Amino acid sequence: QMGLCGVLAAGVLGALIAGYIGHRWIGAWVAAGREIPPLECAIVIGIILPAALAAFLGALEHSEWLFLRRVSPQAQLRYTPVFHKVARWSRDVFGRRRR
């Protein structure tokens, strides 16, 4: 349960840090009296934010999986956590190359 709470606390802290960094980033452009380049906006909105949210979701799913295994070892989630799918895929792909 502490791991799950830790992931949630890290998510809140990460959101606060992201908000602070975003505020400083936008404030610097506004103080200079310039517009933010569209490419920078596209990278932040289209790549960085979704990647950060996906990483948080993956960590939350994994924490839930660990918690469930500790509390009720015979129970299973109705889905496979994303990190487990990625790990299985990487073992399949990179494991074959070593042979």
Side-chain angles (χ1 to χ4, degrees):
Q1 189 171 7
M2 286 303 294
L4 191 59
C5 291
V7 169
L8 290 173
V12 170
L13 182 65
L16 291 173
I17 290 171
Y20 176 73
I21 290 171
H23 178 72
R24 288 195 54 180
W25 176 62
I26 291 173
W29 283 100
V30 170
R34 297 173 47 198
E35 288 185 5
I36 301 172
L39 181 61
E40 279 188 39
C41 290
I43 289 171
V44 169
I45 292 171
I47 297 173
I48 295 174
L49 287 178
L53 292 173
F56 176 69
L57 178 62
L60 195 58
E61 284 178 344
H62 183 69
S63 297
E64 180 184 19
W65 180 78
L66 288 174
F67 176 73
L68 189 63
R69 279 192 53 182
R70 231 178 252 142
V71 172
S72 180
Q74 70 277 9
Q76 291 184 348
L77 291 175
R78 294 182 183 183
Y79 61 91
T80 303
V82 174
F83 286 164
H84 298 202
K85 290 178 185 177
V86 170
R88 187 180 313 129
W89 173 82
S90 67
R91 277 193 304 268
D92 291 345
V93 170
F94 298 115
R96 291 181 187 158
R97 291 184 180 176
R98 291 182 187 167
R99 294 180 187 173

